[in-house]
Amino acid sequence: MKKRDEKIKLGYTTIMHDPRIRFELSNNDYCVADAIYHLSHNPESSVYGWCYASREKLGKFFGLSRQSVITIIKKLQNKGLIEINQDTNHLRTTQLWYSEFVMFELRKRSL
């Protein structure tokens, strides 16, 4: 079976609800941002540091339409949580995402 014909295998997303609520994000907003974070940090990526998954592919991960993902990306960008490479349209989370969401998880684990 060709890779493009394979079904997408869903994993899981651990949602840090405290920062999610503070930033007024829906669960879908959070899931898209979290996927962008993890996809941009794949050490085997050919474009390390950036998520190059299409908006359609991101939508398929969560059962969302392409337009829904585009709307979510705009919301995340407006909140300063992700940035878009203007030349390639690739995505990555910002230092604000790391400080508020990733570090929240790490601080929680160390308690």
Side-chain angles (χ1 to χ4, degrees):
M1 184 184 305
K2 294 179 182 177
K3 281 195 178 231
R4 67 178 169 206
D5 295 332
E6 292 178 9
K7 284 190 169 187
I8 294 174
K9 294 183 175 134
L10 299 175
Y12 64 92
T13 302
T14 302
I15 298 176
M16 301 297 133
H17 289 288
D18 182 65
R20 180 190 67 78
I21 292 167
R22 280 189 291 113
F23 279 85
E24 300 177 335
L25 301 179
S26 70
N27 288 332
N28 285 339
D29 299 338
Y30 187 100
C31 287
V32 169
D34 189 63
I36 292 167
Y37 173 78
H38 287 287
L39 290 170
S40 65
H41 286 81
N42 178 357
E44 295 180 1
S45 174
S46 59
V47 187
Y48 184 75
W50 292 94
C51 167
Y52 59 89
S54 70
R55 283 28 174 194
E56 292 85 3
K57 182 73 122 186
L58 289 171
K60 285 182 182 179
F61 289 154
F62 306 109
L64 301 170
S65 69
R66 177 182 181 276
Q67 187 56 52
S68 293
V69 172
I70 290 168
T71 301
I72 288 169
I73 287 169
K74 285 179 186 174
K75 179 179 181 178
L76 295 168
Q77 186 180 28
N78 289 339
K79 290 183 177 286
L81 297 171
I82 66 164
E83 60 185 338
I84 302 172
N85 182 310
Q86 296 304 313
D87 295 328
T88 63
N89 222 22
H90 297 341
L91 306 163
R92 70 178 172 196
T93 52
T94 62
Q95 182 61 45
L96 182 60
W97 174 268
Y98 187 83
S99 298
E100 296 294 329
F101 293 85
V102 177
M103 290 305 296
F104 179 85
E105 181 178 3
L106 293 175
R107 286 188 300 270
K108 186 177 165 200
R109 287 183 186 178
S110 67
L111 295 178

